[in-house]
Every structure is written in C-alpha cells, then in structure tokens.
Amino acid sequence: MSTSTPILSLGRSSFGNPENKGRLLSDEEAHALLNDWVPNERLRLHMKQVGAVMKAWALEREGADQQEARKWEQAGLLHDADWEKHPESHCRVIIEELEKQNVDPEVIHCIASHGPKYFGVEPDNRMDKMIYVFDELSGFIHAAALIRPTRYEGMDVKSIIKKLKTPSFAAQVNRDDINDAISRIDTPLEEIIQFIIEHQKDVV
Ligand SMILES: [Fe+2]
Ligand SMILES: [Fe+2]
C-alpha cells in the first residue's frame, strides 16, 4: 500500500550490512513483528498476501531454492510493517528496525524499493522489481475480491483489467505506479494478475 503514501525520500541507496547476507528473521520473529506493529487485520492480510505471492514467484518463476524464497517472502511480509503506526515515516522505520536486527541487506533494499516514487530508491534486482509489481496489484485484486459474493472463486483476469480501466474503482490505487512497475519487467500484466489471483486466494 504505497497509494496515499507521503513522499519520503529515504535519501540513500545502500541498506543494511553486507556481512548479514543470508540472515533472516525466523518465521516466528517475523510474524511477531507483524502482529505487534500492525493491529489492522486488513493491512496484515495485505502483507501476508504479498509475502505469499513473492515466495511463490521466487520458487516457480525464478528457480529460487527454499532459502532464497524465504528472502522474497520476508520482504513481502514486512514491507508495510510501519505503515499503520508511522505513516509519515513509512518505510524508514521498518528499514531501520531490520538494519538493527541484522537482516540481509537485499531484503531491506527490496522493502526500500517498493515505491520508487515515494522512497526515492530504484528497484535493482528481480526481487525489488517484483515487490513493486505485486504490491499495488495484490491490493487491487483483493479489493475486487471483496465486492464479489464468491470472492476469488471464478475471478478472471479480464474483469480485473476492466476494473483497472475504471478510475472510480479502488480510486486510491495509482494506475501509473502499476504501469511503471509492469514496464520494468518482461511478463505481461495479464500473466501477473493470474499469478496473483492463484497465489493469494487462500492466504488468511
Ligand atoms: Fe503494500
Ligand atoms: Fe507501502
């Protein structure tokens, strides 16, 4: 959710300590942080959905092993951790926390690049680019699911494309950000939407 994010340029492009490469929070630690920092259930769900989609993409499309996929998942899971309690400093607070906790710099850079226009950090590698792609679209697709009686059941890509072209639907979702993110990868929007529907429908 970088939608109504105030512009907070982080003013730096290097994050974390290279010595921490490969170091992640345990799943228990990551979920404890999530529950502690994010009382809002819907936001928590958004973060879990992005985490699940990131992990699935790493495994299925990037040939990542389990450890690498956990990196993708953790970046997705924690990317908005400070949004609820520190909206004015969104991104900076969680980044500094993860630096303090000696988390892998790639995870921190990935979180820092989930809204280049807002945080002033360009997505570099595949993980960075995909979090930028998935973030807004995941939230948008979930908003579409919520207004359907059958939720994700029977949802098709075309209906999502149509809603993207309807400015009044989920108006807070910035279509320019979505287009910008998609323009940086070589997978068509339709395929990304299908992937998100499949992989976030069962996340609770
Ligand atoms: Fe988000
Ligand atoms: Fe965000």
Side-chain angles (χ1 to χ4, degrees):
M1 288 183 188
S2 56
T3 48
S4 46
T5 305
I7 294 194
L8 169 90
S9 181
L10 292 167
R12 60 190 178 121
S13 56
S14 138
F15 300 91
N17 183 338
E19 285 177 13
N20 294 326
K21 193 167 167 46
R23 207 189 165 280
L24 299 176
L25 300 183
S26 69
D27 291 347
E28 293 72 24
E29 287 168 334
H31 279 97
L33 192 154
L34 191 70
N35 291 330
D36 188 25
W37 287 39
V38 188
N40 181 315
E41 201 178 330
R42 178 145 181 210
L43 179 56
R44 270 205 316 270
L45 177 60
H46 163 66
M47 295 161 69
K48 287 180 194 169
Q49 286 176 328
V50 175
V53 172
M54 287 285 283
K55 181 183 184 184
W57 185 270
L59 289 171
E60 293 177 28
R61 306 294 293 263
E62 305 285 343
D65 60 18
Q66 287 293 336
Q67 174 63 10
E68 178 69 13
R70 282 193 68 234
K71 264 164 66 176
W72 286 60
E73 180 181 28
Q74 195 149 106
L77 187 68
L78 298 178
H79 77 282
D80 280 337
D82 55 6
W83 168 248
E84 191 173 352
K85 293 188 177 176
H86 308 276
E88 300 306 315
S89 310
H90 171 39
C91 214
R92 180 190 293 149
V93 178
I94 183 60
I95 279 167
E96 290 176 356
E97 175 67 19
L98 296 180
E99 286 181 320
K100 227 186 291 169
Q101 296 208 33
N102 299 321
V103 167
D104 188 315
E106 282 189 24
V107 171
I108 304 176
H109 188 280
C110 179
I111 291 176
S113 60
H114 84 266
K117 211 161 73 188
Y118 308 96
F119 312 130
V121 178
E122 286 298 307
D124 278 344
N125 59 27
R126 296 287 303 165
M127 182 166 63
D128 296 350
K129 287 179 184 171
M130 294 316 294
I131 200 171
Y132 183 34
V133 163
F134 287 140
D135 183 20
E136 292 297 275
L137 275 171
S138 164
F140 187 86
I141 290 168
H142 192 65
L146 290 179
I147 60 157
R148 300 179 78 248
T150 57
R151 301 292 192 249
Y152 285 91
E153 181 81 45
M155 177 186 269
D156 70 350
V157 173
K158 257 194 245 159
S159 72
I160 299 297
I161 298 279
K162 198 169 151 201
K163 285 189 174 64
L164 281 169
K165 291 179 181 155
T166 309
S168 58
F169 182 80
Q172 79 283 7
V173 174
N174 189 323
R175 273 62 165 177
D176 291 343
D177 287 350
I178 292 176
N179 294 334
D180 178 43
I182 289 287
S183 76
R184 296 168 189 242
I185 61 168
D186 49 15
T187 309
L189 174 62
E190 289 76 7
E191 207 176 316
I192 295 289
I193 291 171
Q194 184 65 46
F195 191 89
I196 294 173
I197 293 172
E198 278 166 23
H199 290 90
Q200 77 176 16
K201 66 181 194 315
D202 298 323
V203 178
V204 287

